[in-house]
Amino acid sequence: MMKPILGITLGEAAGIGPELIAKLAANDRLRPYCRPVLIGDARVLELGKKIANVKFPVAIVENVSAIDWDGPISILDQKNFDPTYLEMGKINVPSGKVTGDTLVTALHLLDKREIQGMVFAPLNKQAFILGGYDYEDEHALFREFFKWEKPAGIMNVLDKLWTFRVTCHIPISEVACSLNKENILSAIQLADATLRLAGYELPRIGVAALNPHAGEGGLCGSEEVTIIQPAIAAARAEGIEALGPFSADTIFIAAFKGDYDAVLTMYHDQGQIATKLIGFDIGVTVAAGLPYPITTPEHGTAFDIAGKGIAKTDATEQAIIIAAKMAGWRG
């Protein structure tokens, strides 16, 4: 099988995205996993090359079909942002709009099957929204674009451990009443399907409890007995290797030892605190459940170091590897 064609956007121009992509392209860290096509303004890529202090040839193309895969790295030049007077590390509303516009361009390419997956360099949510993309986050844009009503969500990957959550950006006071057997089962199913797409034959999914000490058999909360255990049982009846529920204060000890391929948490910070503590700068965010592989490095635009040439590429390279695997690459 040929390596998949991945669209790789340059991200927010005032952040570290262009630098990251320039470093990966210069060091030949794109082609081992995919057939890459960069998407963005060629002038922003040149800025990234300057910041990264790297040089490599670039072919400007009008469409994907014109790419010579044996030639220089190609870019679909959007001609939509001149970074001449850009102040690095600062909110830039025009750049935020362009970042969103470029994402939409990549989504159209996915929808037309011209690319098989997308990796987007970090965007700044505030600039994205001020630029006219009034969404909770970019993932809401993805769902709206594809008119996607099936289960979808955000998975995070740290090295070989995947994490997923039943609830996400809601107040902690609303978590317990937002949980039920159906949405826990749906989350387990989505995690299982996403990992299988990434090449896992029978992913082991550890499920976190909601209450301290996994509810102590009902003495410290009943959700484990009434909804989480039944959801796990239903998943196992479908052939899914779901395990638990395990106390949230110990589940990641076992997970980081390799006992599970993924951990399903009940709410946002149950998983995010553990994974970001271990490796904030190497995590990857995966748009799970959508019809095409979409990934991004988890660390964001890093405005504090933007323009300094010191950004690390590990998470972005891992995002490319994961997108390529979800698109069928098995290198």
Side-chain angles (χ1 to χ4, degrees):
M1 177 182 176
M2 294 185 69
K3 293 174 184 175
I5 300 173
L6 296 186
I8 302 172
T9 75
L10 303 180
E12 165 59 53
I16 61 173
E19 174 192 344
L20 293 171
I21 302 307
K23 285 179 176 178
L24 288 172
N27 294 319
D28 193 27
R29 302 312 300 162
L30 302 176
R31 285 176 163 158
Y33 320 115
C34 66
R35 288 177 286 165
V37 51
L38 308 186
I39 307 172
D41 193 300
R43 294 168 294 185
V44 174
L45 178 60
E46 288 303 314
L47 173 65
K49 291 166 67 175
K50 181 179 179 181
I51 293 170
N53 193 28
V54 297
K55 295 181 179 180
F56 56 89
V58 177
I60 295 177
V61 295
E62 296 293 326
N63 50 66
V64 177
S65 62
I67 296 175
D68 175 7
W69 299 113
D70 295 320
I73 291 289
S74 294
I75 183 170
L76 290 170
D77 186 8
Q78 303 302 293
K79 302 182 178 69
N80 55 3
F81 188 75
D82 182 355
T84 301
Y85 301 106
L86 179 70
E87 187 174 0
M88 298 301 297
K90 301 291 184 182
I91 295 292
N92 185 291
V93 174
S95 179
K97 179 183 185 303
V98 163
T99 303
D101 293 347
T102 304
L103 282 179
V104 172
T105 296
L107 294 174
H108 279 292
L109 292 172
L110 284 170
D111 215 23
K112 293 187 292 184
R113 308 293 202 279
E114 293 186 32
I115 59 176
Q116 294 159 277
M118 174 176 76
V119 179
F120 61 100
L123 61 82
N124 180 276
K125 189 182 295 186
Q126 186 177 353
F128 178 69
I129 293 172
L130 291 173
Y133 287 88
D134 191 15
Y135 295 90
E136 175 187 339
D137 55 31
E138 64 273 22
H139 298 272
L141 166 65
F142 302 157
R143 292 191 295 271
E144 180 182 283
F145 180 89
F146 294 122
K147 298 179 173 60
W148 199 250
E149 297 181 356
K150 296 178 183 179
I154 299 170
M155 292 193 76
N156 298 111
V157 187
L158 181 65
D159 194 13
K160 295 181 180 180
L161 179 66
W162 296 57
T163 61
F164 195 52
R165 45 195 179 261
V166 183
T167 65
C168 193
H169 298 132
I170 64 172
I172 197 72
S173 61
E174 298 177 11
V175 170
C177 62
S178 298
L179 297 172
N180 55 60
K181 174 187 172 183
E182 289 70 27
N183 61 12
I184 296 170
L185 175 59
S186 177
I188 294 172
Q189 292 167 330
L190 183 56
D192 178 73
T194 304
L195 267 75
R196 288 177 187 266
L197 196 63
Y200 293 80
E201 291 186 10
L202 185 63
R204 301 160 299 160
I205 302 171
V207 179
L210 173 67
N211 296 297
H213 302 175
E216 295 184 350
L219 297 176
C220 188
S222 62
E223 286 83 3
E224 285 73 21
V225 174
T226 59
I227 58 176
I228 302 178
Q229 288 177 3
I232 292 172
R236 293 186 65 83
E238 297 178 5
I240 297 173
E241 187 70 1
L243 308 163
F246 302 112
S247 181
D249 64 354
T250 58
I251 189 171
F252 280 97
I253 296 174
F256 288 130
K257 289 180 179 178
D259 289 358
Y260 320 118
D261 301 304
V263 172
L264 176 69
T265 59
M266 296 298 113
Y267 59 92
H268 183 276
D269 285 5
Q270 267 190 327
Q272 293 296 86
I273 292 173
T275 56
K276 288 186 177 181
L277 181 64
I278 293 294
F280 175 71
D281 60 347
I282 61 173
V284 175
T285 297
V286 177
L290 294 178
Y292 309 101
I294 299 177
T295 66
T296 189
E298 190 177 351
H299 52 58
T301 48
F303 273 179
D304 58 323
I305 62 169
K308 297 180 180 179
I310 59 175
K312 296 180 180 179
T313 60
D314 305 64
T316 306
E317 183 172 352
Q318 190 64 22
I320 292 165
I321 292 171
I322 291 171
K325 286 183 176 180
M326 293 177 68
W329 175 70
R330 293 292 181 263

